[in-house]
Amino acid sequence: MTTAEATTTTVADHGSRSVLRNGAVMAAGSVVSRATGFIRSAVVVAALGTGLQADGYNVANTVPNILYTLLIGGALNAVFVPELVRAAKDHADGGAAYTDRLLTVCAIGLLALAGLTVLAAPWIVSVYAPGYHGAQAELTVALARYCLPQILFYGLFTLLGQVLNARGRFGAMMWTPVLNNVVVIGVFGLHLYIAAGSEGTLTTDQARLLGWGTTAGIVIQTLALLPALRTAEFRWRPRFDWRGSGLTRPLRAAGWLVALVLTNQFAYWVVTRLSTTVGQRADDMGLAGGAGYTAYSYANQLWLVPHGIVTVSLVTALMPRMSRMAADNDLPGLRRDVSYALRTSAAVVLPAVALLFALAPWVMGAVYGYGRTDDADIAVMAGMMMAFAPGLVAYSGQYVLSRAFYAMSDTRTPFFLNLVIAALNAGLSLAACLLLPVRWAVTGMAGAYSVALFAGFAATGYVLHRRVGGSGGAASPLRSPTLWAQFRLAVAAVPAGLLGYLAARACSGSGDYAAVGVGTLVLLLTVALLARPLRLQEISAVLTAGRARLRRT
């Protein structure tokens, strides 16, 4: 090895260790956030169940997130860090004035958006839940008006968090959501105390408590970033001298991302509309178990946990470095980081997929089996989880690949690639609603999303390989070592999932927690035993690091 090669390898190793350290800080925050999020969900389910009343709250609480992401959130997440990195590199003041202008433009847009949506709450609810009428519609509209101001604070949280990420401060954005969960847990705990012994119908005062209490959680989550911003020596000074300041490029890039999110949200709107209709129909037919939107959303929320803990943390830590490589036209370096992110995240995501699929009934029971949730509700949600589970591989991989395009300031290509996912998701969900029995229609929608994700992942991988791949970018993606590493992980996950299922079933008489604990242990041990014969280098590296730490201890 030459001196130059040795230096490059040393720098790359040091960079990977730094990324892992930052990723570990974020993953730890995400674990605690997700854990408190489970408690939050369990308390919400205990208070509202999974029927129409819960559907009303979840539609009202989800709509602000949908609209924020739809109109501005996706653009902020994908455009901000690359733009701030470029500004820090190109501007004499380190990009300070540019950052202030960009924040000012976005904050004004967020404030206007939040105000308009509050006024349009009845129309918004009618779009997402057209089957609601009478008291159900009135309750959902009232809750939506209490929750829609969250749009402003979602946006400010993202803006300020991305400023911290661009400055290498990754922890706060992952840890502050814990405060949000604690607030909502307290609010619903108070509701359970106040409503004890009531018939279960939300009064006006109770709806106001739940709506404003949920919004208060987002406000506190946002304000909690301020100490970290002061530590990073960032002071936001609103600036309105936008003309000729270079804001045109990020706004143009954001336009493609808004279009991308519009297509995603069209598909999600189709699923929300269909699932709320199916839920109403199931309730009218007296079917056991809530087979509508709430079951879908809770299964989806739990399904995303491994991705949020591992992939998001890892890619967030890598994004500034990927953006610098793209700015310097270092395509080999960008390619190495993408491959590293895919392999490292898959080492956790694929075993997690096996766990969520094989242990779904016990996992859903352990997380959501409280209060008004009965065995029929758990069975419905477990079926949806099994339909979602395989798609997590593609969802995580798609996230990594799309961030490579964003690092290159290319938001146009991901838009067209995302059309594959959105079109398939909407079309197959409609087919599931029309062709499957009411009990299984929403479960079929979850499976439709998984199919759509794999099609999009394959298309995005091919196009990115052509853009940054070696040998002129023309080599077949099927020769990719990263793809075959993921295939070997999948081979290990299948028997691991089967043995985990058998172990959980054998212990199911001792309760859901015992079944999940024993099944998870058996599954992970199986993956560890298969690491060497299947050459699972990322798994072996984790095991080696763990043994070294034990020896030091």
Side-chain angles (χ1 to χ4, degrees), residues 96-128:
Y98 184 84
T99 302
D100 288 339
R101 293 186 188 102
L102 197 52
L103 282 169
T104 303
V105 169
C106 295
I108 290 173
L110 286 165
L111 184 61
L113 178 60
L116 289 172
T117 55
V118 169
L119 294 175
W123 179 80
I124 292 169
V125 169
S126 70
V127 169
Y128 279 92

mmCIF file of all heavy atoms in Angstrom, residues 96-128:
data_model
loop_
_atom_site.group_PDB
_atom_site.id
_atom_site.type_symbol
_atom_site.label_atom_id
_atom_site.label_comp_id
_atom_site.label_asym_id
_atom_site.label_seq_id
_atom_site.Cartn_x
_atom_site.Cartn_y
_atom_site.Cartn_z
ATOM 1 N N ALA A 96 -23.294 32.622 7.407
ATOM 2 C CA ALA A 96 -24.179 33.112 8.470
ATOM 3 C C ALA A 96 -25.353 33.916 7.906
ATOM 4 O O ALA A 96 -26.510 33.680 8.258
ATOM 5 C CB ALA A 96 -23.386 33.956 9.460
ATOM 6 N N ALA A 97 -25.074 34.890 7.026
ATOM 7 C CA ALA A 97 -26.140 35.728 6.474
ATOM 8 C C ALA A 97 -27.086 34.894 5.609
ATOM 9 O O ALA A 97 -28.315 35.082 5.650
ATOM 10 C CB ALA A 97 -25.538 36.871 5.654
ATOM 11 N N TYR A 98 -26.527 33.979 4.839
ATOM 12 C CA TYR A 98 -27.338 33.108 3.982
ATOM 13 C C TYR A 98 -28.289 32.267 4.827
ATOM 14 O O TYR A 98 -29.472 32.114 4.502
ATOM 15 C CB TYR A 98 -26.417 32.214 3.156
ATOM 16 C CG TYR A 98 -27.110 31.327 2.157
ATOM 17 C CD1 TYR A 98 -27.461 31.805 0.905
ATOM 18 C CD2 TYR A 98 -27.413 30.004 2.473
ATOM 19 C CE1 TYR A 98 -28.093 30.986 -0.016
ATOM 20 C CE2 TYR A 98 -28.048 29.176 1.561
ATOM 21 C CZ TYR A 98 -28.388 29.680 0.317
ATOM 22 O OH TYR A 98 -29.019 28.869 -0.593
ATOM 23 N N THR A 99 -27.786 31.723 5.943
ATOM 24 C CA THR A 99 -28.612 30.916 6.842
ATOM 25 C C THR A 99 -29.746 31.746 7.417
ATOM 26 O O THR A 99 -30.895 31.291 7.478
ATOM 27 C CB THR A 99 -27.757 30.333 7.974
ATOM 28 O OG1 THR A 99 -26.707 29.537 7.414
ATOM 29 C CG2 THR A 99 -28.590 29.479 8.918
ATOM 30 N N ASP A 100 -29.442 32.983 7.836
ATOM 31 C CA ASP A 100 -30.482 33.857 8.396
ATOM 32 C C ASP A 100 -31.582 34.139 7.375
ATOM 33 O O ASP A 100 -32.771 34.124 7.702
ATOM 34 C CB ASP A 100 -29.868 35.175 8.867
ATOM 35 C CG ASP A 100 -29.027 35.010 10.123
ATOM 36 O OD1 ASP A 100 -29.234 34.016 10.846
ATOM 37 O OD2 ASP A 100 -28.163 35.873 10.378
ATOM 38 N N ARG A 101 -31.191 34.400 6.130
ATOM 39 C CA ARG A 101 -32.192 34.685 5.096
ATOM 40 C C ARG A 101 -33.066 33.453 4.822
ATOM 41 O O ARG A 101 -34.293 33.562 4.690
ATOM 42 C CB ARG A 101 -31.490 35.107 3.806
ATOM 43 C CG ARG A 101 -30.750 36.433 3.879
ATOM 44 C CD ARG A 101 -30.219 36.837 2.518
ATOM 45 N NE ARG A 101 -29.355 38.000 2.599
ATOM 46 C CZ ARG A 101 -28.019 37.952 2.559
ATOM 47 N NH1 ARG A 101 -27.408 36.776 2.410
ATOM 48 N NH2 ARG A 101 -27.298 39.049 2.652
ATOM 49 N N LEU A 102 -32.431 32.295 4.715
ATOM 50 C CA LEU A 102 -33.168 31.072 4.419
ATOM 51 C C LEU A 102 -34.146 30.740 5.545
ATOM 52 O O LEU A 102 -35.304 30.363 5.303
ATOM 53 C CB LEU A 102 -32.182 29.917 4.201
ATOM 54 C CG LEU A 102 -32.695 28.659 3.503
ATOM 55 C CD1 LEU A 102 -33.377 29.000 2.186
ATOM 56 C CD2 LEU A 102 -31.541 27.682 3.268
ATOM 57 N N LEU A 103 -33.710 30.916 6.780
ATOM 58 C CA LEU A 103 -34.596 30.690 7.923
ATOM 59 C C LEU A 103 -35.773 31.664 7.913
ATOM 60 O O LEU A 103 -36.916 31.281 8.207
ATOM 61 C CB LEU A 103 -33.813 30.841 9.229
ATOM 62 C CG LEU A 103 -32.917 29.678 9.649
ATOM 63 C CD1 LEU A 103 -32.023 30.085 10.808
ATOM 64 C CD2 LEU A 103 -33.759 28.480 10.053
ATOM 65 N N THR A 104 -35.513 32.907 7.580
ATOM 66 C CA THR A 104 -36.571 33.920 7.590
ATOM 67 C C THR A 104 -37.644 33.601 6.545
ATOM 68 O O THR A 104 -38.853 33.658 6.833
ATOM 69 C CB THR A 104 -35.983 35.314 7.314
ATOM 70 O OG1 THR A 104 -34.968 35.597 8.289
ATOM 71 C CG2 THR A 104 -37.054 36.379 7.381
ATOM 72 N N VAL A 105 -37.219 33.273 5.331
ATOM 73 C CA VAL A 105 -38.169 32.927 4.274
ATOM 74 C C VAL A 105 -39.047 31.756 4.703
ATOM 75 O O VAL A 105 -40.289 31.785 4.575
ATOM 76 C CB VAL A 105 -37.420 32.584 2.972
ATOM 77 C CG1 VAL A 105 -38.365 31.960 1.954
ATOM 78 C CG2 VAL A 105 -36.785 33.816 2.381
ATOM 79 N N CYS A 106 -38.412 30.709 5.229
ATOM 80 C CA CYS A 106 -39.157 29.497 5.596
ATOM 81 C C CYS A 106 -40.094 29.745 6.775
ATOM 82 O O CYS A 106 -41.220 29.236 6.799
ATOM 83 C CB CYS A 106 -38.180 28.371 5.923
ATOM 84 S SG CYS A 106 -37.193 27.819 4.522
ATOM 85 N N ALA A 107 -39.649 30.524 7.762
ATOM 86 C CA ALA A 107 -40.485 30.786 8.940
ATOM 87 C C ALA A 107 -41.750 31.548 8.551
ATOM 88 O O ALA A 107 -42.846 31.261 9.055
ATOM 89 C CB ALA A 107 -39.689 31.556 9.986
ATOM 90 N N ILE A 108 -41.627 32.532 7.652
ATOM 91 C CA ILE A 108 -42.798 33.295 7.207
ATOM 92 C C ILE A 108 -43.782 32.368 6.479
ATOM 93 O O ILE A 108 -45.001 32.425 6.684
ATOM 94 C CB ILE A 108 -42.367 34.460 6.313
ATOM 95 C CG1 ILE A 108 -41.633 35.523 7.154
ATOM 96 C CG2 ILE A 108 -43.568 35.084 5.603
ATOM 97 C CD1 ILE A 108 -41.020 36.633 6.339
ATOM 98 N N GLY A 109 -43.246 31.501 5.640
ATOM 99 C CA GLY A 109 -44.101 30.547 4.936
ATOM 100 C C GLY A 109 -44.822 29.606 5.891
ATOM 101 O O GLY A 109 -46.006 29.299 5.710
ATOM 102 N N LEU A 110 -44.127 29.149 6.925
ATOM 103 C CA LEU A 110 -44.740 28.253 7.909
ATOM 104 C C LEU A 110 -45.874 28.933 8.681
ATOM 105 O O LEU A 110 -46.931 28.341 8.912
ATOM 106 C CB LEU A 110 -43.675 27.761 8.895
ATOM 107 C CG LEU A 110 -42.686 26.719 8.379
ATOM 108 C CD1 LEU A 110 -41.494 26.614 9.310
ATOM 109 C CD2 LEU A 110 -43.374 25.366 8.239
ATOM 110 N N LEU A 111 -45.653 30.183 9.071
ATOM 111 C CA LEU A 111 -46.665 30.911 9.831
ATOM 112 C C LEU A 111 -47.926 31.102 8.986
ATOM 113 O O LEU A 111 -49.056 30.896 9.469
ATOM 114 C CB LEU A 111 -46.110 32.259 10.270
ATOM 115 C CG LEU A 111 -47.018 33.117 11.163
ATOM 116 C CD1 LEU A 111 -47.342 32.397 12.459
ATOM 117 C CD2 LEU A 111 -46.338 34.457 11.455
ATOM 118 N N ALA A 112 -47.743 31.463 7.738
ATOM 119 C CA ALA A 112 -48.902 31.651 6.847
ATOM 120 C C ALA A 112 -49.635 30.334 6.627
ATOM 121 O O ALA A 112 -50.873 30.276 6.639
ATOM 122 C CB ALA A 112 -48.437 32.231 5.509
ATOM 123 N N LEU A 113 -48.868 29.252 6.447
ATOM 124 C CA LEU A 113 -49.474 27.944 6.210
ATOM 125 C C LEU A 113 -50.295 27.484 7.411
ATOM 126 O O LEU A 113 -51.418 26.987 7.257
ATOM 127 C CB LEU A 113 -48.371 26.931 5.894
ATOM 128 C CG LEU A 113 -48.810 25.487 5.669
ATOM 129 C CD1 LEU A 113 -49.773 25.395 4.491
ATOM 130 C CD2 LEU A 113 -47.590 24.594 5.436
ATOM 131 N N ALA A 114 -49.747 27.660 8.609
ATOM 132 C CA ALA A 114 -50.468 27.241 9.815
ATOM 133 C C ALA A 114 -51.782 28.007 9.961
ATOM 134 O O ALA A 114 -52.832 27.414 10.278
ATOM 135 C CB ALA A 114 -49.592 27.453 11.050
ATOM 136 N N GLY A 115 -51.764 29.312 9.737
ATOM 137 C CA GLY A 115 -52.980 30.103 9.857
ATOM 138 C C GLY A 115 -54.043 29.696 8.854
ATOM 139 O O GLY A 115 -55.229 29.564 9.195
ATOM 140 N N LEU A 116 -53.648 29.472 7.610
ATOM 141 C CA LEU A 116 -54.608 29.106 6.573
ATOM 142 C C LEU A 116 -55.245 27.750 6.846
ATOM 143 O O LEU A 116 -56.449 27.558 6.623
ATOM 144 C CB LEU A 116 -53.917 29.097 5.207
ATOM 145 C CG LEU A 116 -53.536 30.463 4.632
ATOM 146 C CD1 LEU A 116 -52.696 30.299 3.370
ATOM 147 C CD2 LEU A 116 -54.792 31.290 4.328
ATOM 148 N N THR A 117 -54.455 26.789 7.326
ATOM 149 C CA THR A 117 -55.007 25.456 7.569
ATOM 150 C C THR A 117 -55.996 25.442 8.730
ATOM 151 O O THR A 117 -56.971 24.681 8.702
ATOM 152 C CB THR A 117 -53.876 24.440 7.839
ATOM 153 O OG1 THR A 117 -53.061 24.908 8.929
ATOM 154 C CG2 THR A 117 -53.021 24.231 6.611
ATOM 155 N N VAL A 118 -55.770 26.261 9.749
ATOM 156 C CA VAL A 118 -56.736 26.342 10.851
ATOM 157 C C VAL A 118 -58.081 26.823 10.318
ATOM 158 O O VAL A 118 -59.148 26.290 10.679
ATOM 159 C CB VAL A 118 -56.218 27.260 11.974
ATOM 160 C CG1 VAL A 118 -57.330 27.552 12.980
ATOM 161 C CG2 VAL A 118 -55.031 26.629 12.678
ATOM 162 N N LEU A 119 -58.068 27.830 9.454
ATOM 163 C CA LEU A 119 -59.312 28.337 8.873
ATOM 164 C C LEU A 119 -59.993 27.287 7.993
ATOM 165 O O LEU A 119 -61.223 27.217 7.932
ATOM 166 C CB LEU A 119 -59.029 29.600 8.045
ATOM 167 C CG LEU A 119 -58.553 30.832 8.830
ATOM 168 C CD1 LEU A 119 -58.190 31.957 7.867
ATOM 169 C CD2 LEU A 119 -59.634 31.304 9.811
ATOM 170 N N ALA A 120 -59.177 26.458 7.329
ATOM 171 C CA ALA A 120 -59.719 25.484 6.366
ATOM 172 C C ALA A 120 -59.942 24.106 6.988
ATOM 173 O O ALA A 120 -60.147 23.134 6.257
ATOM 174 C CB ALA A 120 -58.768 25.365 5.176
ATOM 175 N N ALA A 121 -59.936 24.005 8.320
ATOM 176 C CA ALA A 121 -60.024 22.708 8.990
ATOM 177 C C ALA A 121 -61.229 21.861 8.545
ATOM 178 O O ALA A 121 -61.073 20.659 8.287
ATOM 179 C CB ALA A 121 -60.020 22.892 10.504
ATOM 180 N N PRO A 122 -62.447 22.413 8.444
ATOM 181 C CA PRO A 122 -63.579 21.560 8.023
ATOM 182 C C PRO A 122 -63.368 20.944 6.639
ATOM 183 O O PRO A 122 -63.677 19.759 6.423
ATOM 184 C CB PRO A 122 -64.770 22.539 8.018
ATOM 185 C CG PRO A 122 -64.378 23.619 8.978
ATOM 186 C CD PRO A 122 -62.896 23.781 8.788
ATOM 187 N N TRP A 123 -62.876 21.739 5.707
ATOM 188 C CA TRP A 123 -62.626 21.212 4.362
ATOM 189 C C TRP A 123 -61.538 20.151 4.376
ATOM 190 O O TRP A 123 -61.656 19.116 3.719
ATOM 191 C CB TRP A 123 -62.239 22.356 3.425
ATOM 192 C CG TRP A 123 -61.937 21.883 2.031
ATOM 193 C CD1 TRP A 123 -62.836 21.575 1.054
ATOM 194 C CD2 TRP A 123 -60.633 21.634 1.487
ATOM 195 N NE1 TRP A 123 -62.178 21.148 -0.080
ATOM 196 C CE2 TRP A 123 -60.832 21.172 0.154
ATOM 197 C CE3 TRP A 123 -59.343 21.741 1.986
ATOM 198 C CZ2 TRP A 123 -59.759 20.835 -0.671
ATOM 199 C CZ3 TRP A 123 -58.275 21.407 1.155
ATOM 200 C CH2 TRP A 123 -58.494 20.961 -0.151
ATOM 201 N N ILE A 124 -60.455 20.375 5.153
ATOM 202 C CA ILE A 124 -59.349 19.420 5.225
ATOM 203 C C ILE A 124 -59.839 18.084 5.766
ATOM 204 O O ILE A 124 -59.507 17.010 5.238
ATOM 205 C CB ILE A 124 -58.214 19.983 6.102
ATOM 206 C CG1 ILE A 124 -57.553 21.183 5.403
ATOM 207 C CG2 ILE A 124 -57.169 18.915 6.409
ATOM 208 C CD1 ILE A 124 -56.605 21.965 6.300
ATOM 209 N N VAL A 125 -60.649 18.117 6.832
ATOM 210 C CA VAL A 125 -61.169 16.875 7.410
ATOM 211 C C VAL A 125 -62.067 16.165 6.399
ATOM 212 O O VAL A 125 -62.022 14.936 6.261
ATOM 213 C CB VAL A 125 -61.934 17.166 8.717
ATOM 214 C CG1 VAL A 125 -62.707 15.937 9.187
ATOM 215 C CG2 VAL A 125 -60.960 17.617 9.802
ATOM 216 N N SER A 126 -62.873 16.924 5.656
ATOM 217 C CA SER A 126 -63.754 16.289 4.671
ATOM 218 C C SER A 126 -62.969 15.616 3.555
ATOM 219 O O SER A 126 -63.428 14.634 2.964
ATOM 220 C CB SER A 126 -64.713 17.326 4.079
ATOM 221 O OG SER A 126 -64.019 18.253 3.245
ATOM 222 N N VAL A 127 -61.772 16.141 3.268
ATOM 223 C CA VAL A 127 -60.935 15.539 2.228
ATOM 224 C C VAL A 127 -60.332 14.232 2.707
ATOM 225 O O VAL A 127 -60.317 13.219 1.987
ATOM 226 C CB VAL A 127 -59.816 16.525 1.808
ATOM 227 C CG1 VAL A 127 -58.779 15.823 0.940
ATOM 228 C CG2 VAL A 127 -60.412 17.703 1.058
ATOM 229 N N TYR A 128 -59.833 14.203 3.958
ATOM 230 C CA TYR A 128 -59.150 13.020 4.458
ATOM 231 C C TYR A 128 -60.102 11.983 5.055
ATOM 232 O O TYR A 128 -59.743 10.804 5.137
ATOM 233 C CB TYR A 128 -58.096 13.421 5.501
ATOM 234 C CG TYR A 128 -56.823 13.909 4.873
ATOM 235 C CD1 TYR A 128 -56.633 15.261 4.620
ATOM 236 C CD2 TYR A 128 -55.826 13.023 4.485
ATOM 237 C CE1 TYR A 128 -55.475 15.714 4.018
ATOM 238 C CE2 TYR A 128 -54.672 13.465 3.872
ATOM 239 C CZ TYR A 128 -54.495 14.812 3.644
ATOM 240 O OH TYR A 128 -53.351 15.268 3.032
#
